[in-house]
Coordinates of all heavy atoms in Angstrom, one line a residue:
L38 N 27.7 -14.1 9.5 CA 27.4 -14.3 10.9 C 26.7 -15.6 11.0 O 25.5 -15.7 10.5 CB 26.6 -13.1 11.5 CG 26.4 -13.1 13.0 CD1 27.8 -13.0 13.7 CD2 25.5 -12.0 13.4
L39 N 27.2 -16.5 11.7 CA 26.6 -17.8 12.0 C 25.7 -17.7 13.3 O 26.3 -17.3 14.4 CB 27.6 -18.9 12.2 CG 27.0 -20.3 12.6 CD1 26.2 -20.9 11.5 CD2 28.2 -21.2 13.1
I40 N 24.5 -18.0 13.2 CA 23.7 -18.1 14.4 C 22.9 -19.5 14.5 O 22.2 -19.8 13.5 CB 22.6 -17.0 14.4 CG1 23.2 -15.6 14.3 CG2 21.7 -17.1 15.7 CD1 22.3 -14.4 14.3
G41 N 23.1 -20.2 15.5 CA 22.5 -21.5 15.6 C 21.3 -21.5 16.4 O 21.0 -20.4 17.1
P42 N 20.6 -22.6 16.6 CA 19.4 -22.6 17.4 C 19.6 -22.1 18.9 O 20.5 -22.7 19.5 CB 18.9 -24.0 17.4 CG 19.4 -24.5 16.1 CD 20.7 -23.8 15.9
G43 N 19.0 -21.1 19.3 CA 19.1 -20.7 20.7 C 20.1 -19.6 20.8 O 20.2 -18.9 22.0
E44 N 21.0 -19.3 19.9 CA 22.0 -18.3 20.0 C 21.4 -16.9 19.8 O 20.5 -16.7 19.1 CB 23.2 -18.5 19.0 CG 24.1 -19.7 19.4 CD 25.3 -19.8 18.4 OE1 25.1 -20.0 17.2 OE2 26.4 -19.5 18.9
R45 N 22.0 -15.9 20.4 CA 21.7 -14.5 20.3 C 22.9 -13.7 19.9 O 23.9 -13.8 20.5 CB 21.0 -13.9 21.5 CG 19.6 -14.5 21.8 CD 19.6 -15.7 22.7 NE 20.1 -15.4 24.0 CZ 20.6 -16.3 24.8 NH1 20.8 -17.6 24.4 NH2 21.0 -16.0 26.0
Q46 N 22.7 -12.9 18.9 CA 23.8 -11.9 18.5 C 23.1 -10.6 18.2 O 22.0 -10.4 17.8 CB 24.4 -12.4 17.2 CG 24.8 -13.9 17.0 CD 26.0 -14.3 17.8 OE1 26.5 -13.5 18.7 NE2 26.6 -15.4 17.6
Q47 N 23.9 -9.5 18.7 CA 23.4 -8.1 18.5 C 24.4 -7.5 17.5 O 25.6 -7.4 17.6 CB 23.4 -7.4 19.8 CG 22.5 -7.9 20.8 CD 22.6 -7.1 22.1 OE1 22.3 -5.9 22.1 NE2 22.8 -7.7 23.2
V48 N 23.8 -6.9 16.4 CA 24.6 -6.3 15.4 C 24.0 -4.9 15.0 O 22.8 -4.6 15.2 CB 24.7 -7.1 14.1 CG1 25.3 -8.4 14.4 CG2 23.4 -7.3 13.4
I49 N 24.9 -4.1 14.5 CA 24.5 -2.7 14.1 C 24.8 -2.7 12.5 O 26.0 -3.1 12.1 CB 25.1 -1.6 14.8 CG1 24.7 -1.6 16.3 CG2 24.9 -0.2 14.1 CD1 25.3 -0.5 17.1
V50 N 23.9 -2.2 11.7 CA 24.2 -2.1 10.3 C 24.0 -0.6 9.9 O 23.0 0.0 10.2 CB 23.2 -3.0 9.5 CG1 23.5 -2.9 8.0 CG2 23.2 -4.4 9.9
D51 N 25.0 -0.2 9.2 CA 25.1 1.2 8.7 C 24.6 1.3 7.3 O 25.3 0.7 6.3 CB 26.4 1.8 8.8 CG 26.5 3.3 8.5 OD1 25.5 3.8 8.1 OD2 27.6 3.9 8.7
F52 N 23.5 1.8 6.9 CA 22.9 2.0 5.6 C 23.2 3.3 5.0 O 22.6 3.7 4.1 CB 21.4 1.8 5.6 CG 21.0 0.4 6.0 CD1 20.4 0.1 7.2 CD2 21.0 -0.6 5.1 CE1 20.0 -1.2 7.6 CE2 20.7 -2.0 5.4 CZ 20.1 -2.2 6.7
A53 N 24.3 4.0 5.5 CA 24.6 5.3 5.0 C 24.9 5.3 3.5 O 24.8 6.4 2.9 CB 25.7 5.9 5.8
G54 N 25.4 4.2 3.0 CA 25.8 4.2 1.6 C 24.6 4.1 0.6 O 24.9 4.0 -0.6
Y55 N 23.4 4.0 1.2 CA 22.2 3.8 0.4 C 21.4 5.1 0.4 O 21.6 6.0 1.2 CB 21.4 2.6 0.8 CG 22.2 1.3 0.6 CD1 23.1 0.8 1.6 CD2 22.1 0.6 -0.5 CE1 23.8 -0.3 1.5 CE2 22.8 -0.6 -0.7 CZ 23.6 -1.1 0.3 OH 24.3 -2.2 0.1
K56 N 20.4 5.2 -0.6 CA 19.6 6.3 -0.6 C 18.1 5.9 -0.5 O 17.8 4.7 -0.7 CB 19.8 7.1 -1.9 CG 19.5 6.3 -3.2 CD 19.8 7.1 -4.4 CE 19.4 6.4 -5.7 NZ 20.0 5.0 -5.8
E57 N 17.2 6.9 -0.3 CA 15.8 6.6 -0.2 C 15.3 5.9 -1.4 O 15.7 6.2 -2.5 CB 15.1 7.9 0.0 CG 13.5 7.7 0.2 CD 12.8 9.0 0.4 OE1 13.4 10.1 0.3 OE2 11.6 8.9 0.7
G58 N 14.6 4.8 -1.2 CA 14.1 4.0 -2.3 C 14.9 2.7 -2.5 O 14.4 1.8 -3.2
D59 N 16.1 2.6 -2.0 CA 16.9 1.5 -2.2 C 16.3 0.3 -1.4 O 15.7 0.5 -0.4 CB 18.3 1.7 -1.8 CG 19.1 2.6 -2.8 OD1 18.7 2.6 -4.0 OD2 20.2 3.1 -2.5
V60 N 16.6 -0.9 -1.9 CA 16.2 -2.1 -1.2 C 17.5 -3.0 -1.0 O 18.2 -3.3 -1.9 CB 15.2 -3.0 -2.0 CG1 14.9 -4.3 -1.2 CG2 13.9 -2.2 -2.2
V61 N 17.7 -3.4 0.3 CA 18.9 -4.2 0.6 C 18.4 -5.5 1.2 O 17.6 -5.5 2.1 CB 19.8 -3.4 1.7 CG1 21.1 -4.2 1.9 CG2 20.1 -2.0 1.2
S62 N 18.9 -6.6 0.7 CA 18.5 -7.9 1.1 C 19.4 -8.6 2.0 O 20.6 -8.6 1.8 CB 18.2 -8.8 -0.1 OG 17.2 -8.2 -1.0
L63 N 18.9 -9.3 3.0 CA 19.6 -10.1 3.9 C 19.4 -11.6 3.6 O 18.3 -12.0 3.5 CB 19.2 -9.9 5.4 CG 19.9 -10.7 6.5 CD1 21.4 -10.3 6.6 CD2 19.2 -10.5 7.8
Y64 N 20.5 -12.4 3.5 CA 20.4 -13.8 3.1 C 20.9 -14.7 4.1 O 21.7 -14.3 5.0 CB 21.2 -14.0 1.8 CG 20.6 -13.4 0.5 CD1 20.8 -12.1 0.2 CD2 20.0 -14.2 -0.4 CE1 20.3 -11.5 -0.9 CE2 19.5 -13.7 -1.5 CZ 19.6 -12.3 -1.8 OH 19.1 -11.8 -3.0
T65 N 20.4 -15.9 4.1 CA 21.1 -17.1 4.8 C 21.5 -17.9 3.6 O 20.7 -18.5 2.9 CB 20.3 -17.8 5.9 OG1 21.0 -18.8 6.4 CG2 19.0 -18.3 5.2
D66 N 22.8 -18.2 3.5 CA 23.3 -18.9 2.3 C 22.8 -18.2 1.2 O 23.0 -17.0 1.0 CB 23.0 -20.4 2.4 CG 23.8 -21.1 3.5 OD1 24.9 -20.7 3.9 OD2 23.2 -22.1 4.1
D67 N 22.1 -18.9 0.2 CA 21.6 -18.2 -1.0 C 20.1 -17.9 -0.9 O 19.4 -17.7 -1.9 CB 22.0 -19.0 -2.2 CG 21.4 -20.4 -2.2 OD1 20.8 -20.8 -1.1 OD2 21.6 -21.1 -3.2
F68 N 19.5 -18.0 0.3 CA 18.1 -17.8 0.5 C 17.8 -16.5 1.1 O 18.3 -16.1 2.1 CB 17.5 -18.9 1.4 CG 16.1 -18.8 1.7 CD1 15.1 -19.3 0.7 CD2 15.6 -18.2 2.9 CE1 13.8 -19.1 1.0 CE2 14.2 -18.1 3.1 CZ 13.3 -18.6 2.1
K69 N 17.0 -15.7 0.4 CA 16.7 -14.4 0.9 C 15.7 -14.4 2.1 O 14.7 -15.0 2.0 CB 16.0 -13.5 -0.2 CG 15.8 -12.0 0.2 CD 15.0 -11.3 -0.8 CE 15.7 -11.1 -2.1 NZ 14.9 -10.2 -3.0
L70 N 16.1 -13.8 3.2 CA 15.3 -13.8 4.4 C 14.5 -12.5 4.5 O 13.3 -12.5 4.9 CB 16.2 -13.9 5.6 CG 16.8 -15.2 6.0 CD1 17.7 -15.1 7.2 CD2 15.7 -16.2 6.2

Side-chain angles (χ1 to χ4, degrees):
L38 188 64
L39 173 71
I40 303 180
E44 287 189 290
R45 286 90 67 203
Q46 314 283 17
Q47 297 182 54
V48 300
I49 293 176
V50 181
D51 186 356
F52 293 104
Y55 295 87
K56 64 182 184 302
E57 184 177 5
D59 286 344
V60 176
V61 186
S62 297
L63 177 69
Y64 287 81
T65 177
D66 292 329
D67 58 355
F68 179 80
K69 184 190 292 187
L70 285 176

